């Protein structure tokens, strides 16, 4: 913010942790910290420029705060079964206000209404609280100045690339000067693109709140949830839906970039893109809850990727609009989370060879062929569209790649990658049988059998009584736990049981699981990988060690943020969350573990 535009400046500490609330609408999203500051929010979409970037900055800028002077307590929660966040702030004299934060999302005129808009409402509850609004956006990842222009009922925050308009019934001078005021009733602030509101802020806020609330509650009613841990599953499902980019069907791995996997490690990556592998897990979890429309939308994204892929070769990650090039650069003006830079834009993993992508794509849309609820045409034409991906899997399974963990310094024939190549052929065989394409079914089954035998011959270690992470190796990685989940081996197969035991012995640290123990390009891993702990929970449940599985699950639930979300990683010594947030992988883990461990409704009712 230009110095001349700021008449009241007070130093604010940067966001200290990942105890963040998420609001969004499938077009944009924002993260709200425990002090009711929006500290992360990209425009005009998930991959866009973070106008609110305080989460990874060390300067007094890049946030949007509504606070009260002399605040002594803050309580917050989501409005039940919605993505609407409500925060109550109290001062030492008995004053109190409630903040209601949301991004409008509902059906209007036969289509989803997803405006580039954040609505914040201030409601007076008690006493004479002194409210102060601080709006300090930045532009171009903190590199460009933002100018303020004033209208009769709005402020415009202007840069060369974008204009953010704040329209409100709060006196404009109070916001411009960051001057405290005592609220009267409810005040509404609408931060949006540079367009004039056709109604008063109060009316827009009231109507959009009601319609957004009803939209989310109606969606939640369609979910088939387990009996136990219902609220945890609902919050996870809402978070996953918020992580889907409705316009194209893409699913992002997380909303943030460059939150380090562990302190001072340089393991800082941009996760605001669509990994085909991660997307499969999200789609599968939501399918299990009955939210199949996201899978149908994702299919359109995949079809476009395949249509534009040269020689049907897929990358592991794409942009949310299908961009193939995600060249990795650094935002030099941002210091990073707690000063732990770099802040990266883009992700060079798009250049890597990861053979599991073909199985991941086929897995994600297999249900379309079998689920009679779905309206999408599930015919031979769609099957033929998928076959080239199977051909790629069959051709490349015995060749090295970077693997699921995206090693940047080496390639091997990774067991998980080969496993997903088997999945590609196995599922194509199942689809072909379902479509009565018997010759095709036999051909794909032959390919699946070939790969199955290759894994059993080359990835089994008699010494370790376990499958290992790469052909001919002896290392263990957590992805081996998926062999039962993907139907490669039954849960009672001694080889799977031995693998689960070896993974636990090698990778378990306290109540958490590491993805691997061997040093990689950045040294030995320091923090546990949350999805791996959930994979271990599912595997333990499958082999009958349910008490242990439930103990680990209860522990993971206790270490969520206060609003029920998880990041990518966790410090096994302190329980602190690290890595990009909220991580879709981790939220999937909550859903799957609950489905595995919950009592059935018929047992209880």
């Amino acid at each position: 913010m230009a110095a001349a535009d700021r008449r009241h400046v007070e130093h604010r500490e940067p966001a200290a942790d990942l105890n963040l609330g998420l609001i969004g609408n499938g077009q944009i999203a924002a993260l709200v910290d425990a002090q009711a500051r929006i500290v992360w929010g990209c425009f005009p979409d998930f991959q866009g420029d973070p106008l609110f970037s305080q989460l990874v900055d060390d300067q007094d800028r890049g946030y949007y705060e509504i606070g009260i002077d002399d605040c002594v307590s803050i309580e917050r929660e989501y409005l039940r079964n919605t993505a609407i966040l409500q925060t109550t702030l109290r001062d030492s004299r008995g004053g109190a206000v409630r903040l209601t934060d949301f991004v409008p999302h509902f059906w209007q005129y036969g289509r989803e209404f997803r405006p580039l808009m954040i609505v914040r409402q201030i409601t007076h509850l008690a006493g004479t609280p002194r409210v102060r609004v601080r709006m300090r956006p930045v532009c171009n990842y903190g590199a460009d100045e933002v100018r303020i222009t004033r209208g009769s009922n709005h402020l415009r925050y202007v840069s060369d690339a974008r204009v953010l308009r704040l329209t409100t019934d709060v006196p404009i001078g109070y916001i411009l000067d960051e001057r405290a005021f005592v609220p009267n009733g409810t005040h509404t602030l609408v931060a949006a693109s540079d367009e004039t509101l056709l109604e008063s802020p109060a009316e827009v806020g009231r109507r959009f709140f009601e319609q957004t609330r009803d939209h989310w509650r109606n969606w939640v009613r369609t979910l088939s949830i387990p009996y136990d841990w219902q609220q945890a599953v609902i919050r996870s499902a809402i978070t996953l839906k918020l992580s889907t980019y409705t316009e194209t069907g893409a699913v992002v791995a997380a909303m943030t970039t460059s939150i380090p996997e562990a302190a001072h490690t340089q393991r800082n990556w941009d996760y605001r893109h669509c990994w085909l592998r991660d997307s499969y897990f999200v789609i599968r979890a939501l399918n299990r809850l009955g939210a199949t429309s996201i899978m149908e939308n994702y299919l359109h994204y995949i079809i476009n990727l395949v249509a534009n892929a040269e020689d049907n070769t897929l990358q592991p990650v794409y942009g949310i609009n299908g961009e193939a090039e995600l060249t990795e650069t650094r935002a030099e003006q941002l210091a990073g989370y707690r000063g732990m830079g770099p802040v990266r834009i883009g992700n060079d993993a798009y250049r890597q060879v990861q053979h599991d992508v073909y199985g991941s794509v086929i897995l994600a849309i297999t249900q379309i062929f079998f689920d009679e609820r779905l309206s999408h045409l599930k015919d031979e034409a769609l099957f033929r569209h998928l076959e080239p991906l199977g051909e790629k899997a069959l051709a490349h399974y015995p060749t090295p790649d970077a693997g699921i963990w995206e090693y940047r310094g080496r390639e091997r024939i990774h067991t998980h990658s080969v496993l997903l190549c088997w999945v590609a052929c196995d599922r194509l065989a199942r689809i072909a049988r379902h479509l009565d394409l018997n010759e095709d079914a036999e051909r794909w089954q032959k390919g699946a059998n070939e790969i199955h035998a290759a894994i059993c011959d080359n990835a089994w270690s008699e010494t370790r009584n376990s499958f290992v992470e790469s052909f001919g190796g002896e290392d263990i990685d957590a992805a081996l736990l998926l062999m039962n989940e993907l139907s490669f081996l039954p849960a009672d197969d001694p080889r799977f049981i031995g693998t689960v035991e070896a993974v636990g012995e090698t990778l378990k640290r306290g109540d958490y699981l590491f993805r691997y123990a061997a040093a990689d390009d950045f040294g030995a891993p320091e923090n546990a990988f949350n999805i791996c702990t959930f994979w271990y929970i599912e595997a333990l449940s499958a082999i009958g060690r349910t008490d242990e599985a439930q103990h680990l699950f209860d522990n993971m639930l206790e270490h969520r943020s206060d609003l029920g979300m998880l990041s990518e990683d966790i410090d096994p010594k302190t329980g602190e969350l690290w890595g990009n947030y909220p991580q879709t992988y981790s939220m999937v883990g909550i859903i799957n573990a609950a489905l595995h461990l919950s009592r059935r409704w018929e047992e209880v009712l």
Side-chain angles (χ1 to χ4, degrees):
M1 197 72 67
D5 295 329
R6 182 64 59 201
R7 281 175 269 177
H8 178 92
V9 176
E10 178 180 326
H11 176 71
R12 307 294 296 174
E13 292 297 325
D17 55 39
L18 295 179
N19 205 22
L20 304 168
L22 172 67
I23 57 175
N25 65 358
Q27 178 70 36
I28 59 171
L31 295 176
V32 187
D33 74 4
Q35 287 72 50
R37 297 184 305 170
I38 294 177
V39 294
W40 184 258
C42 299
F43 290 79
D45 55 38
F46 299 158
Q47 288 177 181
D49 187 14
L51 303 188
F52 305 111
S53 58
Q54 173 63 201
L55 186 63
V56 292
D57 202 353
D58 63 351
Q59 299 185 51
D60 190 25
R61 61 179 188 170
Y63 60 84
Y64 174 13
E65 177 185 36
I66 300 176
I68 61 172
D69 291 352
D70 190 29
C71 183
V72 295
S73 74
I74 299 178
E75 305 160 7
R76 61 182 184 160
E77 63 181 357
Y78 281 108
L79 187 64
R80 185 174 179 272
N81 294 351
T82 74
I84 299 172
L85 182 61
Q86 294 191 316
T87 306
T88 301
L89 302 94
R90 304 181 189 278
D91 64 26
S92 62
R93 303 175 304 279
V97 297
R98 181 179 65 240
L99 306 182
T100 300
D101 295 333
F102 65 97
V103 180
H105 189 189
F106 48 87
W107 284 89
Q108 180 173 262
Y109 307 126
R111 61 183 179 181
E112 283 191 79
F113 180 59
R114 298 174 286 104
L116 304 180
M117 177 184 294
I118 298 173
V119 178
R120 311 194 78 180
Q121 296 170 308
I122 308 168
T123 301
H124 175 264
L125 297 180
T128 55
R130 292 166 47 83
V131 174
R132 202 181 298 270
V133 178
R134 298 181 175 91
M135 170 77 96
R136 299 184 181 182
V138 294
C139 197
N140 192 17
Y141 291 86
D144 291 349
E145 293 288 332
V146 175
R147 305 178 302 278
I148 302 176
T149 65
R150 176 175 178 169
S152 57
N153 295 291
H154 69 266
L155 294 170
R156 297 169 73 247
Y157 298 83
V158 183
S159 71
D160 292 339
R162 183 161 300 280
V163 177
L164 182 68
R165 179 189 289 239
L166 180 65
T167 306
T168 182
D169 49 22
V170 174
I172 292 299
Y174 293 167
I175 298 174
L176 189 62
D177 297 341
E178 297 183 350
R179 184 184 308 136
F181 65 95
V182 177
N184 178 24
T186 295
H187 298 278
T188 302
L189 302 96
V190 179
S193 52
D194 192 24
E195 299 175 5
T196 302
L197 288 186
L198 300 180
E199 302 170 274
S200 70
E203 178 58 23
V204 168
R206 181 198 62 78
R207 184 165 59 85
F208 284 11
F209 167 82
E210 292 175 354
Q211 292 176 280
T212 300
R213 176 199 61 199
D214 294 346
H215 172 83
W216 280 109
R217 287 182 172 172
N218 289 334
W219 184 77
V220 168
R221 286 191 190 99
T222 69
L223 300 179
S224 300
I225 60 175
Y227 178 81
D228 296 306
W229 304 292
Q230 293 184 37
Q231 286 302 315
V233 169
I234 289 170
R235 183 53 48 201
S236 298
I238 290 173
T239 303
L240 293 182
K241 182 168 172 57
L242 288 172
S243 301
T244 62
Y245 185 58
T246 306
E247 186 170 306
T248 64
V251 181
V252 295
M255 288 297 175
T256 58
T257 178
S258 304
I259 310 300
E261 295 177 13
H264 305 290
T265 59
Q266 298 285 303
R267 298 176 187 265
N268 299 16
W269 313 115
D270 189 348
Y271 276 13
R272 300 171 298 161
H273 310 300
C274 182
W275 270 259
L276 303 185
R277 174 178 49 249
D278 298 43
S279 298
Y280 154 67
F281 286 102
V282 172
I283 298 301
R284 179 71 177 273
L286 290 173
N287 285 350
R288 287 173 169 174
L289 299 179
T292 54
S293 62
I294 293 173
M295 173 181 59
E296 293 188 276
N297 203 21
Y298 179 66
L299 174 61
H300 298 296
Y301 179 76
I302 290 300
I303 288 175
N304 279 291
L305 291 186
V306 175
N308 290 305
E310 184 177 347
D311 191 32
N312 297 306
T313 299
L314 293 181
Q315 301 171 185
V317 56
Y318 291 85
I320 59 175
N321 292 299
E323 306 95 322
E325 291 189 16
L326 301 173
T327 304
E328 196 172 289
T329 60
R330 297 188 178 192
E332 301 295 346
Q333 301 300 317
L334 298 175
Y337 180 72
R338 299 185 188 174
M340 300 177 194
V343 173
R344 302 184 200 267
I345 308 166
N347 197 307
D348 276 347
Y350 85 91
R351 305 176 190 271
Q352 291 187 350
V353 174
Q354 296 177 29
H355 298 320
D356 66 326
V357 296
Y358 303 105
S360 297
V361 167
I362 292 170
L363 266 176
I365 58 182
T366 293
Q367 184 170 335
I368 281 176
F369 289 91
F370 297 88
D371 195 330
E372 290 299 328
R373 297 172 299 173
L374 306 182
S375 59
H376 194 280
L377 191 62
K378 42 230 180 190
D379 58 6
E380 183 178 344
L382 178 57
F383 171 74
R384 300 300 179 197
H385 207 71
L386 296 178
E387 280 195 300
L389 305 183
E391 298 289 357
K392 285 290 183 181
L394 192 55
H396 292 293
Y397 83 85
T399 62
D401 72 350
I404 183 175
W405 308 123
E406 299 185 340
Y407 296 106
R408 294 196 171 197
R410 66 162 173 82
E411 290 189 343
R412 295 177 181 172
I413 302 177
H414 290 98
T415 303
H416 176 78
S417 296
V418 184
L419 173 65
L420 266 292
C421 289
W422 169 81
V423 163
C425 297
D426 177 77
R427 297 321 191 260
L428 285 174
R430 298 186 192 192
I431 294 168
R433 282 193 292 271
H434 184 70
L435 296 175
D436 293 324
L437 303 172
N438 295 326
E439 290 185 6
D440 296 292
E442 290 178 9
R443 177 166 55 89
W444 286 114
Q445 190 60 59
K446 181 181 177 182
N449 293 343
E450 174 188 328
I451 301 175
H452 197 288
I455 294 174
C456 294
D457 291 343
N458 296 286
W460 175 258
S461 169
E462 291 289 348
T463 303
R464 306 206 67 162
N465 190 37
S466 171
F467 285 96
V468 290
E469 64 94 32
S470 59
F471 280 19
E474 288 294 322
D475 290 337
I476 299 288
D477 82 329
L480 298 167
L481 295 168
L482 294 171
M483 285 184 153
N484 171 247
E485 169 72 14
L486 296 174
S487 301
F488 183 83
L489 290 176
D492 60 359
D493 189 304
R495 293 170 297 177
F496 180 66
I497 295 172
T499 299
V500 174
E501 292 172 348
V503 168
E505 291 168 1
T506 306
L507 302 179
K508 190 166 176 283
R509 304 288 187 273
D511 287 337
Y512 309 97
L513 214 74
F514 279 51
R515 52 188 164 176
Y516 48 82
D520 60 16
D521 316 320
F522 296 87
E526 297 179 25
N527 284 341
F529 206 67
N530 289 331
I531 188 58
C532 297
T533 302
F534 287 115
W535 289 345
Y536 189 54
I537 291 168
E538 293 174 52
L540 290 175
S541 175
I543 65 174
R545 292 163 59 179
T546 53
D547 289 345
E548 185 178 353
Q550 183 153 333
H551 166 76
L552 296 177
F553 185 40
D554 289 340
N555 179 67
M556 290 302 295
L557 293 178
E558 290 174 4
H559 286 90
R560 294 174 297 162
S561 69
D562 68 333
L563 292 169
M565 285 171 280
L566 285 169
S567 63
E568 181 183 43
D569 307 272
I570 197 165
D571 187 327
K573 297 177 181 177
T574 66
E576 183 177 6
L577 297 177
W578 288 88
N580 284 304
Y581 179 97
Q583 179 80 359
T584 53
Y585 252 164
S586 302
M587 307 311 293
V588 163
I590 293 173
I591 292 172
N592 288 343
L595 289 170
H596 273 82
L597 295 171
S598 174
R599 292 168 290 174
R600 300 190 325 178
W601 285 86
E602 305 88 77
E603 297 175 43
V604 182
L605 302 180

